[in-house]
């Protein structure tokens, strides 16, 4: 599972915003233009390569997270149970889901310099607002794995709302887990589980 998380993290660096620009950058070009910069940061920063948690979190917050629609991702992951939650619970679910993904990807960021990302041919049709950006991620001695990104065009640019690793949807995997938690303890039970998972190592709740 650790290797899978590392591969997901490697691909995710391809979709953060390079800079605030007047024009919206096409999703594939955004990914290609920004991947090398993040890889360069990781390779050159000894603290990040050494696992400096604060620097890793800062990099994730600044470069990666702005390109994700966490509310849409959370709604898809919670699925049919989303409408059972109050507005306050929905906001809490988004915050906990975001925190969980930050912790997951931050744990693998220091190792992404070992990976290579190959972007597959991409064509954006006129007026298209929902696309899939396909990549193949590999490292020496291991077979390549397809990692693809479902992205939707928003007012402030293209946002990722799902990641497919080897054709397995991330939000679908979480949906199965979340449905199980809701069946056992309702929305409050799911929130309690997410909060518990998001506690720092060694923390007691």
């Amino acid at each position: 599972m650790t290797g899978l998380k590392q591969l997901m993290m490697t691909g995710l660096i391809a979709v953060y915003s390079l800079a605030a620009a007047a024009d919206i950058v096409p999703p594939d070009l955004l990914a290609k233009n920004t991947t090398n910069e993040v890889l360069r940061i990781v390779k050159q920063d000894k603290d990040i390569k050494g696992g400096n948690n604060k620097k890793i979190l800062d990099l994730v917050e600044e470069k990666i997270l702005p390109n994700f629609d966490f509310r849409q991702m959370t709604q898809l992951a919670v699925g049919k149970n989303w409408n059972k939650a109050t507005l306050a619970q929905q906001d809490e679910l988004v915050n906990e889901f975001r925190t969980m993904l930050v912790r997951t990807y931050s744990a693998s960021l220091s190792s992404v310099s070992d990976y290579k990302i190959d972007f597959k041919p991409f064509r954006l049709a006129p007026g298209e607002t929902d696309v899939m950006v396909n990549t193949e991620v590999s490292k020496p001695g291991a077979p390549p794995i397809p990692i693809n990104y479902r992205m939707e065009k928003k007012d402030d640019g293209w946002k990722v709302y799902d990641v497919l690793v080897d054709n397995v949807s991330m939000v679908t995997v979480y949906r199965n887990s979340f449905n199980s938690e809701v069946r056992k303890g309702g929305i409050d039970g799911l929130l309690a589980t997410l909060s518990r998972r998001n506690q720092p190592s060694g923390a007691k709740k």
Side-chain angles (χ1 to χ4, degrees):
M1 186 64 179
T2 300
L4 182 61
K5 290 180 180 178
Q6 290 176 348
L7 286 168
M8 290 176 65
M9 184 64 232
T10 306
L12 288 171
I13 65 177
V15 293
Y16 79 87
S17 178
L18 180 62
D23 297 326
I24 294 178
V25 180
D28 62 321
L29 186 59
L30 177 65
K32 292 176 182 178
N33 287 348
T34 58
T35 298
N36 288 338
E37 184 174 349
V38 177
L39 285 173
R40 177 183 59 78
I41 292 172
V42 174
K43 288 178 179 179
Q44 294 182 357
D45 195 310
K46 295 181 179 179
D47 291 334
I48 290 179
K49 291 184 69 175
N52 184 298
N53 191 55
K54 184 181 185 305
K55 279 198 169 185
I56 290 172
L57 287 174
D58 287 346
L59 182 59
V60 171
E61 290 281 354
E62 179 184 357
K63 304 297 186 180
I64 298 173
L65 300 189
N67 283 289
F68 281 78
D69 186 336
F70 284 101
R71 191 167 192 86
Q72 184 175 358
M73 291 178 74
T74 306
Q75 184 173 353
L76 289 172
V78 176
K80 61 184 181 181
N81 294 305
W82 179 256
N83 290 329
K84 297 179 181 179
T86 65
L87 292 178
Q89 287 175 322
Q90 289 175 355
D91 289 341
E92 193 174 350
L93 284 168
V94 173
N95 289 333
E96 293 290 353
F97 189 64
R98 183 183 188 278
T99 299
M100 181 177 65
L101 292 183
V102 169
R103 288 175 60 83
T104 297
Y105 300 136
S106 296
S108 303
L109 185 59
S110 60
S111 65
V112 300
S113 60
D114 297 332
Y115 292 89
K116 175 185 176 183
I117 304 173
D118 178 31
F119 291 91
K120 299 304 180 181
F122 176 85
R123 175 176 292 182
L124 182 64
E128 194 169 13
T129 59
D130 196 308
V131 301
M132 182 92 78
V133 175
N134 300 316
T135 75
E136 196 171 71
V137 179
S138 60
K139 69 173 182 177
I145 294 180
I147 299 183
N148 305 321
Y149 305 93
R150 286 184 173 138
M151 302 178 70
E152 185 174 5
K153 188 178 182 181
K154 307 290 185 177
D155 291 340
D156 55 345
W158 289 90
K159 302 293 182 182
V160 176
Y161 67 89
D162 194 10
V163 181
L164 284 74
V165 180
D166 206 7
N167 298 314
V168 177
S169 162
M170 181 180 72
V171 296
T172 299
V173 171
Y174 280 122
R175 185 185 303 139
N176 293 334
S177 172
F178 290 178
N179 282 342
S180 176
E181 294 296 334
V182 172
R183 283 195 298 270
K184 290 188 293 184
I187 296 296
D188 285 335
L190 172 58
L191 283 168
T193 297
L194 291 174
S195 178
R196 187 166 56 250
R197 290 178 183 176
N198 288 334
Q199 290 299 305
S201 298
K204 294 182 178 180
K205 188 175 173 110

